[in-house]
């Protein structure tokens, strides 16, 4: 009798797990399909260009250390087919190695309006935001373009990203990006960005509208920046780029995703560096929307279902459901990473998507439970509202 009861309970448990696996597979499939739909809608949108709309622009470039190919990255902003623009490179430390690169840029492009600002003033724990605030004092023009030093663009970049601002209701413009990768660690990062991270961004845009910005490019009017409290309002935030889209959206301005895609030059040296950066990005997502972040677990239904099916030795139907899920996962990766983003790394290494998904689930868990951050050799505690509090500085 006891043996029969035990067998009965095991069968019930297996059936419950089978149902759970099917639910996880379905949740993942729904996410993949909706992401493809969101990409089709986003990249199919018509963009109106105003032929005579070329207002003067100030580009703010915060510099901290040496990114890979930093000279060429910065030089692409100096080769713009645009009539009037100013570039301000801002550095906090007088010993920063990026200073020599910027000085070379100034020598190589003598006709451009380029300034190098070296200022140690700190307005908060996020030193990048302090860099931007220090540069803002020297900005001549009303429209600001902010882009990280590891971003590379084409000569038509300014012409394209500025266009949505011809609508006075638009306060912020931002861009998606594709990665330039060399080492295998960078390749995995690039796959994750092209075939997963942008999928969640596009799905979120379709569900709620564009309510954030990406550090790859943020175009913002000075008056909008002032309306949200200036850089001082985000001086302690981990997700400063998110806030430069979220706060204007909350203040009633439109945030627009440009049809221009920039390039992000990865310079990851070790696996640890890559994992730390990915965890930091995950923490950014968590502090900007905890329940949304928690819901991301269902986008990993393919991974969790696969683990459960191997542990419980699932049925033929379960394995069939898994195959369908993974096929659709790869289709989503191809649609977004290859077809729409035209990411060469995604095209060549699409088969690495399963490996990335397993690693990404682990990173998601670390981002959920971790409240410590290592960033440029400095250590911080992260509050639940996304504020940074230094608690230890690493000597370098």
């Amino acid at each position: 009798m006891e043996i029969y009861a035990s067998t009965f309970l095991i069968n019930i448990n297996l059936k419950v797990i089978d149902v759970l696996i099917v639910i996880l597979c379905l949740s993942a499939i729904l996410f993949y399909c909706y992401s493809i739909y969101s990409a089709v809608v986003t990249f199919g949108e018509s963009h109106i260009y105003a032929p005579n709309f070329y207002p003067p622009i100030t580009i703010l470039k915060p510099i901290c250390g040496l990114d890979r190919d930093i000279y060429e990255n910065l030089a692409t902003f100096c080769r713009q087919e645009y009539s009037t623009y100013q570039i301000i490179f801002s550095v906090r430390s007088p010993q920063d190695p990026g200073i020599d690169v910027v000085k070379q840029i100034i020598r190589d492009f003598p006709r451009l309006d380029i300034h190098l600002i070296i200022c140690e003033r700190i307005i908060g724990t996020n030193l990048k935001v302090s860099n931007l605030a220090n540069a803002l004092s020297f900005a001549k023009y009303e429209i600001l373009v902010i882009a990280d030093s590891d971003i590379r663009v084409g000569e038509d970049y300014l012409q394209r990203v500025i266009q949505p601002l011809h609508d006075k209701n638009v306060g912020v413009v931002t861009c998606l990006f594709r990665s330039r990768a060399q080492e295998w660690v960078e390749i995995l990062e690039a796959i994750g960005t092209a075939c997963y991270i942008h999928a969640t961004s596009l799905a979120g845009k379709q569900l709620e509208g564009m309510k954030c910005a990406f550090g790859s490019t943020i175009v913002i009017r000075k008056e909008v920046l002032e309306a949200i409290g200036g850089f001082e309002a985000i001086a302690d935030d981990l997700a400063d780029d998110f806030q430069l889209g979220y706060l204007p959206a909350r203040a009633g301005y439109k945030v627009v995703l440009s049809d221009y895609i920039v390039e992000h030059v990865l310079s990851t040296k070790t696996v640890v560096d890559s994992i730390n950066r990915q965890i930091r990005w995950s923490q950014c997502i968590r502090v900007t929307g905890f329940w949304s972040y928690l819901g991301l677990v269902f986008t990993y239904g393919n991974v969790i279902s696969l683990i459960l099916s191997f542990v419980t030795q699932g049925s033929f139907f379960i394995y069939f459901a898994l195959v369908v899920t993974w096929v659709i996962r790869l289709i989503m990766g191809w649609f977004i990473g290859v077809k729409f983003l035209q990411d060469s790394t995604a095209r060549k290494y699409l088969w690495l998507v399963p490996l990335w998904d397993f690693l990404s689930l682990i990173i998601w868990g670390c981002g959920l439970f971790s409240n410590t951050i290592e960033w440029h050799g400095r250590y911080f505690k992260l509050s639940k509202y996304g504020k940074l509090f230094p608690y230890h500085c690493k000597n370098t």
Side-chain angles (χ1 to χ4, degrees):
M1 187 68 178
E2 291 180 359
I3 295 175
Y4 175 78
S6 298
T7 303
F8 178 72
L9 289 173
I10 291 172
N11 288 335
I12 290 178
N13 289 335
L14 286 176
K15 288 181 180 178
V16 170
I17 291 175
D18 286 351
V19 171
L20 177 60
I21 291 173
V22 171
I23 291 173
L24 289 169
C25 284
L26 287 174
S27 71
I29 289 172
L30 286 173
F31 167 68
Y32 304 149
C33 292
Y34 191 76
S35 296
I36 293 171
Y37 164 74
S38 300
V40 170
V41 171
T42 298
F43 287 93
E45 291 174 346
S46 59
H47 295 267
I48 300 173
Y49 293 97
N52 298 319
F53 183 74
Y54 295 108
I57 295 170
T58 293
I59 301 175
L60 304 182
K61 299 288 287 187
I63 305 294
C64 182
L66 296 175
D67 297 304
R68 178 163 66 86
D69 298 337
I70 184 172
Y71 176 88
E72 187 56 34
N73 299 341
L74 301 181
T76 61
F77 287 82
C78 301
R79 302 186 183 114
Q80 294 301 298
E81 296 177 348
Y82 202 84
S83 58
T84 306
Y85 69 101
Q86 169 196 30
I87 305 177
I88 303 176
F89 297 102
S90 56
V91 184
R92 192 183 66 86
S93 170
Q95 286 76 43
D96 194 296
I99 292 174
D100 290 336
V101 177
V102 174
K103 287 181 177 179
Q104 185 62 49
I105 289 283
I106 293 173
R107 288 193 292 269
D108 292 346
F109 297 91
R111 295 184 179 181
L112 289 183
D113 186 4
I114 304 177
H115 301 269
L116 169 62
I117 308 302
I118 303 173
C119 182
E120 297 183 83
R121 183 178 72 111
I122 296 175
I123 64 171
T125 49
N126 188 325
L127 297 184
K128 172 188 168 183
V129 176
S130 292
N131 256 350
L132 291 171
N134 295 334
L136 182 62
S137 304
F138 299 86
K140 296 179 180 178
Y141 305 122
E142 174 62 24
I143 295 177
L144 308 173
V145 174
I146 303 167
D148 293 339
S149 58
D150 54 4
I151 297 300
R152 186 175 297 190
V153 298
E155 295 179 356
D156 59 341
Y157 166 73
L158 286 181
Q159 295 179 18
R160 296 270 295 279
V161 299
I162 202 66
Q163 287 300 311
L165 288 185
H166 78 271
D167 179 353
K168 294 295 184 181
N169 295 317
V170 174
V172 178
V173 182
T174 192
C175 294
L176 296 178
F177 58 93
R178 50 179 168 257
S179 302
R180 295 173 68 99
Q182 291 183 346
E183 304 297 330
W184 69 271
V185 176
E186 297 171 357
I187 289 170
L188 272 179
E189 279 196 49
I191 290 294
T193 298
C195 302
Y196 178 76
I197 293 175
H198 283 332
T200 61
S201 299
L202 292 170
K205 171 183 176 293
Q206 192 62 29
L207 280 171
E208 301 179 335
M210 201 66 198
K211 294 183 178 179
C212 66
F214 308 117
S216 52
T217 287
I218 300 172
V219 185
I220 187 169
R221 303 178 195 272
K222 274 186 182 179
E223 65 181 62
V224 176
L225 185 60
E226 292 169 0
I228 64 171
F231 286 121
E232 288 76 10
I234 60 170
D236 295 315
D237 281 274
L238 171 63
D240 54 276
D241 48 359
F242 172 90
Q243 294 291 353
L244 284 175
Y246 174 73
L247 293 178
R250 197 173 67 174
Y253 295 96
K254 287 183 182 178
V255 179
V256 173
L257 181 64
S258 172
D259 62 342
Y260 194 91
I261 300 171
V262 303
E263 293 189 324
H264 178 214
V265 180
L266 291 168
S267 56
T268 305
K269 296 179 180 179
T270 67
V271 177
V272 174
D273 289 339
S274 175
I275 291 175
N276 282 338
R277 179 163 59 246
Q278 295 295 326
I279 292 175
R280 188 171 71 245
W281 286 353
S282 294
Q283 290 168 318
C284 284
I285 299 171
R286 190 197 77 203
V287 298
T288 55
F290 176 77
W291 294 109
S292 297
Y293 184 79
L294 204 61
L296 288 177
V297 71
F298 292 102
T299 68
Y300 296 110
N302 56 336
V303 177
I304 301 172
S305 298
L306 185 61
I307 294 171
L308 286 175
S309 64
F310 279 123
V311 170
T312 60
Q313 297 181 343
S315 64
F316 173 80
F317 172 75
I318 293 299
Y319 288 123
F320 176 76
L322 279 169
V323 169
V324 172
T325 303
W326 279 97
V327 168
I328 297 177
R329 168 68 178 103
L330 291 173
I331 290 174
M332 183 198 78
W334 183 86
F335 258 98
I336 295 177
V338 179
K339 179 178 174 58
F340 292 119
L341 292 177
Q342 298 182 2
D343 191 305
S344 59
T345 303
R347 179 182 294 107
K348 187 175 181 180
Y349 297 100
L350 187 65
W351 55 274
L352 286 176
V353 161
L355 175 58
W356 162 257
D357 283 352
F358 276 94
L359 292 174
S360 185
L361 178 59
I362 296 171
I363 290 168
W364 175 87
C366 293
L368 180 63
F369 296 107
S370 174
N371 286 310
T372 60
I373 290 175
E374 189 273 328
W375 195 7
H376 289 296
R378 303 172 72 222
Y379 290 81
F380 302 91
K381 280 287 186 180
L382 181 64
S383 77
K384 68 176 182 179
Y385 300 109
K387 300 295 183 181
L388 294 169
F389 297 94
Y391 74 98
H392 175 68
C393 290
K394 182 178 179 182
N395 293 323
T396 56

